[in-house]
Amino acid sequence: MSILRKDKPHLLYAFFMVAQQRPGFCGRLCCDLHYKELYFHDHQLQTFLGDVMSVVKSSLSVGQEKKLLSLFGHVRLHLLYKASVHGYMNIAFHSRCDGQGPTVLVAYNKAGFVFGGYISKDYAQTGQVINDDKAFLYSITDQREKPLRVSSTDGQYGFTDGAYGLNVGAMWFLNNSTATVQIVAGNSYTFEAEEMHGNDLQLTECEVYRVEECVGLLETPWRKIDLEGYGTKERLMDYIKNYKPEVKSVVQVRVLLVGPVGAGKSSFFNSINSVFKGHVTGQANTGSAGTSLTTQFRTYSIKAEQGGKALPLVLCDTMGLEEGPSAGLDIDDINSILKGHVQDRYQFNPSMSVQTDGVGFCKSPILKDTIHCVVYVLDACKVTLLSAKMVDKLAAIRKGINKVGVAQLVLLTKVDEACPLVREDLTNIYLSHYIERMTREVSVCLGVSQSCVLPVKNYSRVCVCFVSDP
């Protein structure tokens, strides 16, 4: 039985829209009642509350990235492959980099050099020499203000498209599946070894990025916008406060947040809580870690203001999903949570499923204890980096949830980090080619309607200013 009212815009969409409103700022409300979806986008880009960093992230410093981007026009870099995560094996390299179009390889060594090569053609393992007049090698160091850029000697040669790593004739990256660069005889590219890599051919890291042209903004939004009376923060918050589920025995709708480690589940709750509190809060743990910071099942009830009435929605936070069979949230654990067996502060054990005799296990749950909606939380920057194991795990979770008939939505977080045009102005979110494409990819990956994929920006950091008396 559905406990969510269908005669008005969906409560959950309203919550997701409110999450974009920062306390003390004005903003513009955008909603699409055709899909019963609502969103809120703030004109201010100042954000706060430390967000969980993704397990797979770029090793480029801000300065290094700026120098690398100076070699191109208006582009963004999308991380495809990271050797320390995916392995130095050639099969891992090509499974993530083949057929991706223009790419740049970024190698790191202990001497402090960041160097590699750019090719504008696909990796395809043809074994042929590929002409590419746009290809070049480069080198970046802290000692040089500008990066070194080297084109091929004949202006035509690009690379040799083999079954190993990037082979640009003069250097061969990841040859024989090792963390080394092999020097190859020939004069396809001419440079001084000391300037290119400091004579250090042992790699500490190797990454490959897809180089994507920023094609500007769409002329019309890719998602229909219709305010329909919910055009202000106050009206939207009043709607949420006064919402009542269809079933009288259920006072609060319980929403389970599920997603990989670092996607931003806890930060989303903090965003919602901060809006209704009217000031910054950090009730749910957030931070930087390679494994889940959330080790308990937590249920967060939100009050409109200090000492105010609880809102008709409870956000349930869990351990993050991880690839390993004995790591992160287990699929069986999710089934127990869905059925209402797991109570607040239940301590998870990654090595075993929920125990029926454990503290915090409810043997006879009723409707109000169950989960009424599941929300998958995914990092927009890492959608294409989801491993096959993680995709399979999400598919298995979705299959189980479908059996019990619980509603499902997707939050696509960190959209400002994923698209420079959105970072410049968050109201560009529905004019961004890239964000629209990401919502489509997530829709296909998880098997949900694109209209159920909601792009959002959580609070991520706080800026504190101290002003002394004159």
Side-chain angles (χ1 to χ4, degrees):
M1 177 187 297
S2 173
I3 68 166
L4 300 175
R5 295 177 60 182
K6 299 177 182 179
D7 60 323
K8 292 185 178 181
H10 204 296
L11 170 67
L12 301 176
Y13 290 106
F15 261 82
F16 301 147
M17 179 165 61
V18 163
Q20 303 304 291
Q21 173 63 51
R22 290 150 180 77
F25 290 96
C26 298
R28 184 187 69 188
L29 185 64
C30 304
C31 60
D32 179 355
L33 297 183
H34 176 70
Y35 291 110
K36 294 184 179 178
E37 303 170 8
L38 299 102
Y39 307 84
F40 184 87
H41 305 303
D42 194 309
H43 286 296
Q44 307 294 329
L45 295 182
Q46 181 60 50
T47 57
F48 45 87
L49 289 176
D51 202 358
V52 181
M53 296 181 67
S54 176
V55 175
V56 183
K57 61 188 182 74
S58 172
S59 292
L60 286 168
S61 69
V62 173
Q64 291 166 345
E65 182 179 14
K66 185 176 181 180
K67 289 180 179 179
L68 182 57
L69 289 173
S70 71
L71 295 169
F72 304 96
H74 189 40
V75 303
R76 72 176 300 277
L77 302 178
H78 189 101
L79 184 60
L80 297 171
Y81 163 83
K82 189 177 182 70
S84 62
V85 175
H86 303 119
Y88 283 91
M89 295 79 70
N90 296 310
I91 187 172
F93 176 91
H94 283 287
S95 68
R96 293 185 170 275
C97 302
D98 284 4
Q100 293 289 339
T103 55
V104 60
L105 182 144
V106 181
Y108 306 77
N109 64 21
K110 288 185 178 180
F113 285 77
V114 176
F115 64 107
Y118 166 78
I119 60 174
S120 67
K121 306 292 180 67
D122 283 333
Y123 288 108
Q125 302 184 61
T126 62
Q128 300 177 352
V129 172
I130 305 298
N131 287 333
D132 185 355
D133 59 1
K134 295 183 177 65
F136 61 83
L137 305 182
Y138 70 91
S139 175
I140 296 170
T141 68
D142 292 338
Q143 287 69 39
R144 279 196 300 258
E145 183 178 350
K146 295 182 178 181
L148 171 69
R149 187 182 190 279
V150 179
S151 298
S152 63
T153 52
D154 64 2
Q156 293 296 321
Y157 174 79
F159 63 104
T160 300
D161 184 31
Y164 299 101
L166 175 60
N167 180 357
V168 291
M171 295 188 293
W172 196 341
F173 296 85
L174 306 185
N175 186 27
N176 295 323
S177 297
T178 60
T180 58
V181 180
Q182 180 179 338
I183 299 300
V184 182
N187 59 356
S188 53
Y189 292 87
T190 303
F191 54 84
E192 294 292 333
E194 183 66 30
E195 291 186 341
M196 180 61 68
H197 45 65
N199 289 311
D200 182 0
L201 300 177
Q202 187 68 35
L203 303 184
T204 59
E205 182 62 276
C206 185
E207 300 170 331
V208 176
Y209 296 82
R210 184 169 63 230
V211 180
E212 301 176 343
E213 291 285 343
C214 291
V215 294
L217 299 172
L218 295 165
E219 292 185 3
T220 57
W222 54 267
R223 184 161 278 166
K224 183 182 177 183
I225 297 172
D226 185 5
L227 298 181
E228 290 290 336
Y230 290 91
T232 67
K233 171 191 171 185
E234 290 72 22
R235 289 183 179 180
L236 182 63
M237 293 179 70
D238 285 341
Y239 163 73
I240 294 172
K241 294 174 185 177
N242 297 319
Y243 181 89
K244 293 183 180 179
E246 289 185 334
V247 180
K248 292 183 179 180
S249 63
V250 177
V251 178
Q252 293 176 300
V253 176
R254 289 165 62 90
V255 179
L256 177 64
L257 304 178
V258 175
V261 172
K265 301 188 306 299
S266 298
S267 291
F268 176 70
F269 163 75
N270 286 336
S271 299
I272 292 286
N273 199 35
S274 296
V275 170
F276 281 94
K277 291 288 187 183
H279 58 82
V280 181
T281 66
Q283 186 175 345
N285 289 334
T286 63
S288 303
T291 57
S292 181
L293 287 174
T294 305
T295 60
Q296 294 180 323
F297 176 72
R298 292 306 318 271
T299 60
Y300 294 111
S301 183
I302 304 167
K303 293 184 178 180
E305 59 272 329
Q306 192 70 28
K309 183 180 177 182
L311 299 181
L313 183 142
V314 173
L315 294 179
C316 304
D317 197 11
T318 64
M319 290 181 67
L321 298 178
E322 299 181 47
E323 293 183 9
S326 301
L329 191 66
D330 186 80
I331 294 177
D332 291 335
D333 293 341
I334 294 179
N335 291 330
S336 296
I337 294 171
L338 289 174
K339 296 175 182 178
H341 292 300
V342 180
Q343 295 182 324
D344 187 32
R345 297 188 181 278
Y346 179 91
Q347 183 67 49
F348 291 110
N349 185 344
S351 63
M352 63 180 66
S353 299
V354 171
Q355 301 297 297
T356 58
D357 57 350
V359 177
F361 184 88
C362 178
K363 294 184 178 180
S364 302
I366 57 179
L367 183 60
K368 72 178 183 64
D369 301 317
T370 63
I371 295 299
H372 310 122
C373 179
V374 173
V375 175
Y376 304 96
V377 184
L378 299 177
D379 183 342
C381 301
K382 305 298 183 288
V383 170
T384 58
L385 283 173
L386 289 175
S387 67
K389 290 182 179 179
M390 181 60 71
V391 172
D392 290 343
K393 198 166 192 175
L394 287 167
I397 291 171
R398 176 164 168 72
K399 184 177 180 180
I401 295 172
N402 284 340
K403 290 181 179 180
V404 296
V406 173
Q408 299 169 72
L409 298 171
V410 181
L411 284 185
L412 194 61
T413 65
K414 305 183 185 180
V415 291
D416 59 316
E417 296 179 22
C419 178
L421 296 172
V422 175
R423 182 166 60 244
E424 292 172 6
D425 185 348
L426 198 58
T427 61
N428 286 335
I429 194 168
Y430 293 126
L431 295 173
S432 167
H433 287 272
Y434 184 76
I435 298 302
E436 191 278 333
R437 191 179 78 185
M438 285 296 99
T439 60
R440 278 190 285 113
E441 290 189 13
V442 169
S443 170
V444 173
C445 179
L446 294 185
V448 299
S449 169
Q450 187 179 4
S451 65
C452 291
V453 181
L454 316 178
V456 300
K457 172 177 170 53
N458 288 341
Y459 297 161
S460 58
R461 62 185 181 272
V462 63
C463 178
V464 180
C465 299
F466 297 93
V467 180
S468 59
D469 292 332

